[in-house]
Amino acid sequence: MLFCSAQFVLFFLVVFALYWALPWPRVRVWLLLVASFVFYASWSKWLALILGVTTVLDYLIARRLEVSSVPWRRKALLAVSLTVNLGLLCFFKYANFFLRSLEEAVRAAGGQASLPVLELLLPLGISFYTFEAISYTVDVYRRRIRAERNLANFMLFILFFPHLIAGPIVRARDFLPQVARRKRWSWGRLHLGLRYFVLGMFKKLAVADRMALFADPVFSDPGRYGTGALWVAALAYAVQVYCDFSGYTDMALGVAHMLGYKLAPNFRLPYLAPNVAEFWRRWHISLSNWLRDYVFIPLGGSRRGRWRTCLNLMVVMVLGGLWHGARWPCVAFGAWQGAWLCLHRGFRGWSGRRPRLDALLRSPLGTVLQVALTFVTFCCALVVFRAPTLADGGAMLAGMFAGRAGSGTPMHMESFLVLLAVVIAGHALAASGLGDRLLARLPAPLRGFAYATAMSLALLLVPETNKAFIYFQF
Amino acid sequence: MKRDRRLTLSGRATVVWCLLGFAGLQLLGLALTGDCLPADRIDRPYGEKLALLEARRARDPGRPLVLMLGSSRIYNGVRPGLLSASDSATPGTPLLFNFGLTGQGALQELLCLRRLLARGVRPRLVFVEVVPSLLHHKTAAENLPVECLTWDDLAVLSRYAASPAALYWNWHLSRTAPWFTFRSSFLSRAERCGVLRGWEQRRAGGVDDLGWGEMLPPCDRAEYERDLARARADHSRGLQVVGVAPTTDRALRDLLALCRREGIEAALLVMPEAKVFQSWYAPAARAAGDAYLRGLSEEKGVALIDARDWVPDDEFRDGHHLLATGARTFTERFGREALSPLMARAGRHDPGTPATRRRLWRTDG
């Protein structure tokens, strides 16, 4: 069930009505748990079963971790949890990638290889809930949090349907106390949830899916298109992936709010970041924080000198790239980001020792140029990320910078320019806080009608080729 | 406390006005479309072909119409413009029109013909494509895109639905969000008013004025192999299964009966298939399919044109869709061996009186 499908709307209306009609907190928890299973099982009943089993296993392991004080036993329990979770993730997501890569490597070395291709159904959301489970067992192991005693509460933490499929990656310490807390009906909360949902729906249907009409045809056959069309496609994909993912997150936050739960925001205007480090503090915040806390810091973080810090950054970003997909372009994307982060650290240190340059960079013009450079660099990295192969990505980048004749954009430019203007205006309103202030000042009827219009507009502008959320495949 | 109360009242009012506003906008959308929107406005591929057909008939009035009903095989494979007779403005020479639509099976062909007849488009001769590897396919009326169906269409399709209630339910559900269901129509209207130019998606590749379109242009070997593999996967079940789905059989029979009632000459047509495609048939499945078609042809007294071997393999795009060159090969032979003799036969029959709208939606087959 996609969030913006009639099926989900009906499903949610039933869950929402039952949830607030039932006055008993425990019953509400069970209702949400059942609803979450139904939500996931609508894709695959067997995978829902696997998810249920692994969740129960993590619950039991965490309970044992808490009571055990023997170091080797605690390490062993943690190892079991990590092995099961990462093992399933690697098997479902990366097995074919590794087999294919091994086969290509053997062939490149002159040998003969014909390895099997496993026909696997990738469990939706596996990258997300696996990381949540790992963060939980590691935090219990480190004694940062207590193990959850109530199985239903813990299962809800992993399976809560608003964040189950595409995040945000929730931490137990943020979510579990909310499960235990009694929820009271709040119109203000419902309004906030509705606002998030409408915003997310508009971003996904009217913007992201429309931008795909400019990106998809070009990425599937870049050799046909001229430089202008290639740049439009790169820009369109940058807007598409942002609006798609942040749109989904907004809808997830909105649905959670409507049920009385608060999930952390996952984006903070990343395209306005002045440098790559700040960008990754604003883009997919929950994943960046997870990688920082469970990979970067355990590797030593930035405490072991410049070169070790760079190595740690490369490892983290390559893993981050691999998390997005079992493909070499994703790995290359991660490596590019890692290299850019290392370069930024070096440049920051160097410019910090030059006060005039530093002042110039902090000036309004300097900030604008930094923001533009960060955005353009990320766009180019996304070209590699989106391309079917590294060679295709390289060819497309060459076409973008070398100046080449070819076909124009696949669609009339008006829709692209209008939507780009809408996205830019949206960013400006959000960054200045003017959007919130304007909305707060509007009379309630006008505000409500504005939401209704935004939803109807989103429904009107959905392209005929409906698309699933991009991050579902991760 | 005062601030909390203000926020509560404001939040409640906003939510309520949002819901009311949304409901109001959907009612406005319904009012703008209503149930009077004809099929050619809500079913875009059908509407595009109909517009071309009517434009051509307006140019060449008095010429008997020969209609090709079928799937993308027809769409790609029949080039009426190549037949010299198609260009002739002499009254009496047939006007061959390609009304192939992607994914169109027996049920959709029946619906298409009913819509055309209700519109006053009366062919002299209809070629009804049959895809043997899809005869087993249970064309469930419930699976047709409800946003493309009119209320009159539902009356026809409910006879073929396993659950007519589900069909009607889905249709009504689609109407609860008219801005979504009829968005293509709204965007077209907006474009005609000079607003939102270029927002409506247009299909890539043109269609000529007689309905032929080159959906699948030539490709390199690697892409050919990929598309061939995909074709095999799509048709694998039908190439092995013996038997005809009851809905498909009923739809075909009803379509032929409709033609007979309306005095329209009909013929069954199996489009060309590459040797490699034909090699995937299980012998029993092939024999059963052929026997079924022969039996239907004899029972209903309609011609059966089996053109599977008419085109060499190198003129196929993916084993069953023709390239432009293959469409030429097929169409020229089709004109000589099928169109001319059947037109002569159709010319000997009385075309019959025009059907009234009431007769068309009669459910007695």
Side-chain angles (χ1 to χ4, degrees), chain A residues 383-396:
Chain A
V383 167
V384 174
F385 177 83
R386 171 67 173 80
T389 64
L390 283 175
D392 289 331
M396 190 158 162

Side-chain angles (χ1 to χ4, degrees), chain B residues 28-354:
Chain B
L28 176 66
L30 265 180
L32 289 174
T33 58
D35 284 333
C36 307
L37 213 59
D40 59 304
R41 297 279 287 278
I42 59 174
D43 185 347
R44 215 160 53 101
Y46 166 84
E48 282 171 359
K49 287 271 171 124
L50 179 65
L52 288 169
L53 173 61
E54 290 185 328
R56 192 56 199 249
R57 290 184 79 213
R59 261 175 53 194
D60 299 325
R63 290 174 66 185
L65 176 63
V66 178
L67 208 59
M68 309 288 297
L69 290 177
S71 65
S72 50
R73 289 185 179 190
I74 293 279
Y75 186 108
N76 276 302
V78 179
R79 296 178 64 176
L82 291 175
L83 297 177
S84 56
S86 292
D87 273 336
S88 170
T90 311
T93 56
L95 175 64
L96 179 65
F97 190 87
N98 179 335
F99 219 102
L101 297 169
T102 310
Q104 188 159 239
L107 195 52
Q108 293 101 313
E109 287 168 345
L110 171 65
L111 192 64
C112 187
L113 184 60
R114 282 182 171 269
R115 282 174 172 179
L116 289 171
L117 288 170
R119 184 95 173 182
V121 176
R122 169 170 296 281
R124 181 71 65 83
L125 170 59
V126 168
F127 286 92
V128 177
E129 187 207 0
V130 183
V131 182
S133 54
L134 295 178
L135 282 172
H136 76 290
H137 196 257
K138 291 186 184 69
T139 314
E142 297 93 320
N143 291 342
L144 297 181
V146 285
E147 59 271 15
C148 297
L149 301 176
T150 65
W151 182 257
D152 289 334
D153 292 339
L154 292 183
V156 175
L157 292 174
S158 59
R159 288 190 68 218
Y160 305 91
S163 167
L167 180 66
Y168 279 94
W169 166 255
N170 289 338
W171 191 87
H172 281 104
L173 197 62
S174 74
R175 266 64 184 168
T176 58
W179 294 104
F180 173 78
T181 305
F182 303 114
R183 59 195 186 280
S184 182
S185 176
F186 282 130
L187 289 175
S188 297
R189 270 200 245 181
E191 187 161 350
R192 282 198 295 273
C193 298
V195 177
L196 299 180
R197 280 171 313 139
W199 288 68
E200 196 195 353
Q201 271 175 278
R202 298 248 138 80
R203 198 194 319 273
V207 179
D208 73 13
D209 67 341
L210 288 168
W212 174 72
E214 192 183 9
M215 250 169 56
L216 301 168
C219 60
D220 58 24
R221 187 80 202 162
E223 202 173 336
Y224 171 79
E225 294 293 342
R226 272 200 304 273
D227 289 344
L228 193 65
R230 192 178 308 132
R232 186 168 190 174
D234 289 345
H235 291 257
S236 59
R237 191 165 147 69
L239 293 162
Q240 309 299 318
V241 163
V242 172
V244 180
T247 326
T248 305
D249 175 55
R250 207 148 53 102
L252 273 173
R253 288 174 185 281
D254 288 348
L255 199 162
L256 295 174
L258 175 64
C259 288
R260 178 172 282 266
R261 255 199 342 274
E262 298 296 327
I264 300 169
E265 185 75 29
L268 298 171
L269 171 62
V270 182
M271 286 293 285
E273 292 173 354
K275 292 274 181 296
V276 61
F277 190 99
Q278 293 187 57
S279 71
W280 300 333
Y281 279 102
R286 173 90 189 231
D290 290 353
Y292 169 76
L293 289 174
R294 274 198 307 274
L296 187 64
S297 160
E298 281 163 19
E299 183 189 326
K300 294 295 181 183
V302 299
L304 169 64
I305 296 122
D306 188 343
R308 274 180 278 198
D309 295 323
W310 286 14
V311 179
D313 277 24
D314 61 356
E315 290 183 351
F316 283 90
R317 174 65 164 77
D318 59 359
H320 67 123
H321 288 106
L322 294 168
L323 291 169
T325 49
R328 173 183 287 275
T329 305
F330 168 75
T331 307
E332 286 171 352
R333 185 168 171 178
F334 173 80
R336 286 193 309 272
E337 297 184 21
L339 180 59
S340 298
L342 283 168
M343 270 310 294
R345 185 166 131 175
R348 292 193 290 272
H349 291 164
D350 182 59
T353 55

Side-chain angles (χ1 to χ4, degrees), chain A residues 121-282:
Chain A
L121 180 65
L122 180 66
L124 276 173
I126 189 169
S127 306
F128 293 91
Y129 61 72
T130 298
F131 277 24
E132 281 169 3
I134 290 173
S135 76
Y136 173 73
T137 45
V138 169
D139 283 351
V140 172
Y141 171 81
R142 289 174 178 169
R143 299 210 189 274
R144 284 197 181 148
I145 57 171
R146 305 281 318 262
E148 174 58 48
R149 287 171 184 271
N150 189 296
L151 176 60
N153 288 2
F154 177 71
M155 290 192 83
L156 188 63
F157 156 61
I158 298 288
L159 295 166
F160 187 47
F161 69 87
H163 75 75
L164 176 59
I165 302 299
I169 300 170
V170 169
R171 301 288 181 97
R173 66 169 180 261
D174 297 323
F175 190 85
L176 286 170
Q178 295 189 62
V179 181
R181 208 174 298 136
R182 190 186 176 87
K183 313 283 180 305
R184 292 187 199 286
W185 174 263
S186 160
W187 282 105
R189 197 121 198 213
L190 183 63
H191 169 212
L192 184 64
L194 180 66
R195 189 171 129 182
Y196 269 115
F197 192 85
V198 169
L199 179 65
M201 188 176 157
F202 187 85
K203 277 185 189 174
K204 163 61 180 164
L205 297 180
V207 182
D209 286 358
R210 282 258 152 208
M211 285 295 177
L213 300 177
F214 289 90
D216 290 350
V218 176
F219 276 96
S220 65
D221 187 10
R224 223 177 102 184
Y225 294 90
T227 298
L230 294 176
W231 271 106
V232 168
L235 206 57
Y237 185 64
V239 173
Q240 179 196 352
V241 77
Y242 169 68
C243 287
D244 191 288
F245 195 16
S246 68
Y248 174 87
T249 306
D250 287 338
M251 283 193 267
L253 261 58
V255 167
H257 268 301
M258 288 191 241
L259 295 170
Y261 287 84
K262 187 178 173 188
L263 302 179
N266 220 6
F267 293 86
R268 208 166 32 91
L269 304 173
Y271 288 158
L272 296 182
N275 54 66
V276 63
E278 183 62 22
F279 180 89
W280 285 104
R281 283 194 279 273
R282 296 176 181 217

Side-chain angles (χ1 to χ4, degrees), chain A residues 187 190-191 194 210 213 411-412 414-415 418-419 444-445 447-449 451-453 455-456 459-465, chain B residues 7-8 10-15 17-18 21-22 25-26 44 173 177 179-180 183-184 186-187 196-201:
Chain A
W187 282 105
L190 183 63
H191 169 212
L194 180 66
R210 282 258 152 208
L213 300 177
M411 292 266 296
H412 199 280
E414 180 183 296
S415 57
V418 167
L419 290 174
R447 194 164 49 229
F449 193 73
Y451 295 163
T453 306
M455 284 198 288
S456 300
L459 292 174
L460 175 68
L461 296 179
V462 177
E464 295 200 8
T465 42
Chain B
L7 282 172
T8 298
S10 166
R12 179 170 60 193
T14 304
V15 171
W17 277 105
C18 175
F22 187 73
L25 283 170
Q26 302 322 299
R44 215 160 53 101
L173 197 62
W179 294 104
F180 173 78
R183 59 195 186 280
S184 182
F186 282 130
L187 289 175
L196 299 180
R197 280 171 313 139
W199 288 68
E200 196 195 353
Q201 271 175 278

Side-chain angles (χ1 to χ4, degrees), chain A residues 46-122:
Chain A
W46 290 112
L47 294 175
L49 195 61
I50 292 175
L51 177 54
V53 166
T54 55
T55 305
V56 171
L57 181 69
D58 287 322
Y59 164 81
L60 293 171
I61 286 177
R63 291 291 305 269
R64 290 297 303 161
L65 269 173
E66 187 167 64
V67 299
S68 173
S69 55
V70 178
W72 69 262
R73 197 173 287 159
R74 300 184 86 243
K75 280 199 174 113
L77 285 168
L78 180 65
V80 166
S81 172
L82 290 177
T83 305
V84 168
N85 282 303
L86 289 174
L88 281 173
L89 179 65
C90 287
F91 174 71
F92 280 107
K93 199 165 168 180
Y94 300 108
N96 280 326
F97 171 64
F98 288 133
L99 288 171
R100 268 200 321 271
S101 302
L102 185 62
E103 193 174 314
E104 276 162 25
V106 167
R107 285 213 185 114
Q112 289 266 7
S114 178
L115 296 171
V117 173
L118 306 176
E119 289 197 19
L120 298 170
L121 180 65
L122 180 66

